[in-house]
């Protein structure tokens, strides 16, 4: 396993690694505000450039003073490039747009409205947001895509990253403080393509790297082998972002491979759909093993919780468990009160920040205090 840094230094503060970032896709973690997030130990967020471009628009956010001022958040913010939407929208539904050699065109099916995204525009938009980590635009694929598709995606990803870096340098070259710039490693299940993509991106002098492509196999398991290849191929000392990796056991498994940054909408989405996480007795503080069951998902609408006046997780210190019972939370969901979503979302995010705290205490954590160089 490659040695990874223990800190990520940004213009909005230094955070310890590993770290889990909730998805504030549209400049909000649904049902929560910044005080709620801080209360449960969240230190940084991810926003989505593509969705913010569509509404409310990057110019409006810039006029508000940037993404931090706009959403009232003073911690680090990573902005996704929109590359994943190449996969989730266009590759899944060709009617939703077109991937060209030099650009991506998204098409709104209901209105026919077109959204154009080039590598240069992708960087421009993220700098308008004033995020702390800018992601290069990539051509995202699935491991199930054929070899020709993977080869073209790697070629585009590297070429687009080169253009992103050039635009980034042009727009930030005179700044005393500027964001970090990350590249995303594509290549599907091919070790050759993954290593080639990682090497070509590393040659650009980027500050960090992400695992590109959908990280989950058809059976729901983490694609550990492609993730291992990327971790081995990425430059030693660079932070590694496991984009979209969010299931608790998947986070633990990816952390063991060397990944240090995680983001996913899963914990808050599960909370809104009545699924709450609880550590099993004896596993509250780690160390964690992905092959050993260390948590359970509590479906709060089950009848057995109607008369249960105990907390979701007796070891949890978030408001949901410190003040309220399973029976009360179930009641709130049953009467469709919005408080249920807030309490459940805070609970699940506190589970994740406690999971991260356990991983940071792991005796297997690499003994280095390095940090990415150029952007901090």
């Amino acid at each position: 396993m490659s040695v990874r840094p223990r800190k990520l230094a940004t213009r909005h503060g230094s955070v310890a690694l590993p770290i889990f970032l909730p998805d504030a896709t549209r400049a909000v973690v649904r049902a929560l505000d910044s005080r709620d997030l801080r209360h449960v130990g969240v230190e940084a967020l991810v926003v989505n450039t593509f969705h913010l471009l569509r509404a409310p628009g990057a110019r409006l956010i810039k006029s508000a003073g940037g993404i931090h001022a706009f959403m009232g958040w003073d911690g680090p913010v990573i902005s996704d490039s929109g590359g994943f939407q190449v996969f989730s929208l266009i590759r899944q539904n060709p009617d939703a747009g077109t991937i060209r050699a030099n650009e991506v065109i998204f098409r709104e099916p209901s209105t026919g409205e077109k959204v154009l995204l080039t590598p240069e525009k992708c960087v421009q938009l993220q700098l308008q947001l004033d995020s702390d980590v800018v992601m290069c635009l990539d051509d995202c694929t699935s491991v199930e895509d054929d070899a020709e598709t993977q080869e073209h995606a790697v070629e585009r990803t590297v070429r687009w990253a080169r253009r992103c870096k050039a635009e980034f340098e042009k727009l930030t070259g005179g700044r005393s403080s500027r964001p970090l710039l990350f590249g995303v490693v594509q290549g599907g299940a091919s070790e050759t393509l993954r290593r080639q993509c990682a090497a070509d991106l590393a040659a650009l002098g980027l500050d960090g790297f992400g695992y590109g492509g959908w990280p989950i196999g058809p059976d729901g398991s983490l694609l550990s082998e492609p993730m291992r290849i990327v971790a081995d191929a990425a430059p030693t000392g660079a932070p590694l972002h496991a984009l979209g990796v969010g299931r608790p056991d998947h986070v633990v498994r990816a952390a063991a491979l060397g990944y240090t940054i995680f983001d996913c909408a899963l914990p808050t989405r599960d909370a809104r759909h009545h699924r709450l996480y609880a550590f099993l007795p004896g596993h509250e503080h780690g160390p964690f093993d992905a092959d050993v069951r260390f948590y359970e998902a509590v479906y709060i609408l089950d009848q057995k919780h109607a008369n249960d006046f105990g907390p979701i997780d007796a070891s949890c210190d978030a408001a949901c468990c410190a003040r309220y019972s399973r029976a009360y939370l179930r009641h709130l969901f049953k009467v469709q009160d919005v408080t249920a979503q807030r309490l459940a979302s805070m609970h699940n995010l506190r589970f994740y920040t406690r999971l991260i705290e356990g991983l940071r205490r792991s005796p297997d954590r690499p003994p280095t205090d390095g940090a990415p160089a150029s952007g901090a």
Side-chain angles (χ1 to χ4, degrees):
M1 181 180 74
S2 299
V3 175
R4 300 295 162 196
R6 287 190 172 187
K7 291 182 180 179
L8 182 70
T10 80
R11 296 171 304 155
H12 284 85
S14 229
V15 292
L17 299 176
I19 190 170
F20 179 86
L21 287 66
D23 279 12
T25 304
R26 293 176 170 85
V28 62
V29 177
R30 290 181 62 179
L32 304 179
D33 71 3
S34 58
R35 291 170 298 180
D36 293 332
L37 296 170
R38 286 298 192 187
H39 177 72
V40 296
V42 171
E43 300 172 84
L45 300 173
V46 169
V47 298
N48 186 279
T49 303
F50 173 76
H51 289 298
L52 292 177
L53 166 64
R54 299 177 70 190
R59 287 183 181 178
L60 185 143
I61 293 174
K62 181 181 180 180
S63 68
I67 192 67
H68 301 83
F70 184 62
M71 63 189 298
W73 174 254
D74 61 0
V77 173
I78 293 178
S79 49
D80 196 357
S81 67
F84 183 72
Q85 279 63 49
V86 172
F87 167 76
S88 64
L89 296 178
I90 298 176
R91 290 199 183 279
Q92 300 292 304
N93 177 20
D95 291 338
T98 305
I99 306 169
R100 294 180 174 174
N102 296 311
E103 63 193 11
V104 180
I105 300 174
F106 295 94
R107 188 177 300 107
E108 179 61 51
S110 58
T111 65
E113 178 188 2
K114 294 181 180 180
V115 177
L116 176 68
L117 202 58
T118 66
E120 291 78 13
K121 184 176 181 179
C122 175
V123 169
Q124 293 162 11
L125 290 169
Q126 292 179 79
L127 292 178
Q128 285 183 317
L129 296 179
D130 199 28
S131 55
D132 298 289
V133 176
V134 171
M135 288 281 183
C136 294
L137 183 64
D138 61 301
D139 186 355
C140 184
T141 64
S142 164
V143 291
E144 298 177 316
D145 288 329
D146 61 47
E148 183 179 6
T149 299
Q150 303 291 3
E151 290 171 5
H152 286 312
V154 166
E155 188 276 330
R156 283 194 196 100
T157 293
V158 173
R159 182 158 44 82
W160 289 355
R162 191 174 293 115
R163 290 169 56 185
C164 284
K165 178 65 182 291
E167 185 71 7
F168 181 83
E169 293 292 342
K170 183 176 80 172
L171 296 177
T172 67
R175 296 187 185 181
S176 58
S177 175
R178 59 181 183 173
L180 304 172
L181 183 65
F182 280 26
V184 181
V185 181
Q186 293 293 341
S190 167
E191 179 169 0
T192 300
L193 287 176
R194 288 282 187 183
R195 291 188 178 279
Q196 173 193 328
C197 190
D200 290 345
L201 292 176
L204 298 178
L206 303 176
D207 300 300
F209 301 85
Y211 175 85
W214 184 242
I216 310 300
D219 62 351
S221 64
L222 187 72
L223 295 172
S224 297
E225 184 56 20
M227 294 195 75
R228 180 195 65 77
I229 292 168
V230 171
D232 288 347
T236 298
L240 272 183
H241 190 157
L243 293 154
V245 173
R247 208 172 81 184
D249 55 312
H250 289 172
V251 169
V252 171
R253 195 175 298 279
L257 294 172
Y259 289 85
T260 53
I261 305 172
F262 307 90
D263 79 277
C264 192
L266 182 68
T268 48
R269 184 172 62 238
D270 270 359
R272 296 192 302 273
H273 290 85
H274 322 119
R275 287 171 53 87
L276 292 98
Y277 306 115
F279 287 107
L280 294 175
H283 294 273
E284 299 91 343
H285 307 294
F288 303 112
D289 183 340
D291 294 320
V292 176
R293 186 168 173 259
F294 61 88
Y295 75 101
E296 64 176 340
V298 176
Y299 187 68
I300 198 64
L301 293 188
D302 282 347
Q303 181 61 36
K304 65 182 180 181
H305 302 303
N307 300 305
D308 188 338
F309 302 113
I312 299 295
D313 182 340
S315 68
C316 179
D317 55 2
C320 183
C321 291
R323 300 179 188 173
Y324 307 110
S325 66
R326 294 186 180 202
Y328 183 64
L329 186 60
R330 182 180 185 276
H331 160 70
L332 292 179
F333 272 118
K334 280 290 194 179
V335 298
Q336 299 182 12
D337 191 281
V338 294
T339 306
Q341 293 190 14
R342 175 174 175 264
L343 291 175
S345 297
M346 289 177 69
H347 170 83
N348 275 3
L349 289 181
R350 181 57 183 144
F351 173 92
Y352 272 74
T353 58
R354 293 173 66 206
L355 176 67
I356 290 299
E357 288 166 5
L359 290 174
R360 289 175 179 174
R361 289 191 296 264
S362 172
D364 297 328
R365 195 172 170 209
T368 179
D369 200 30
S374 62

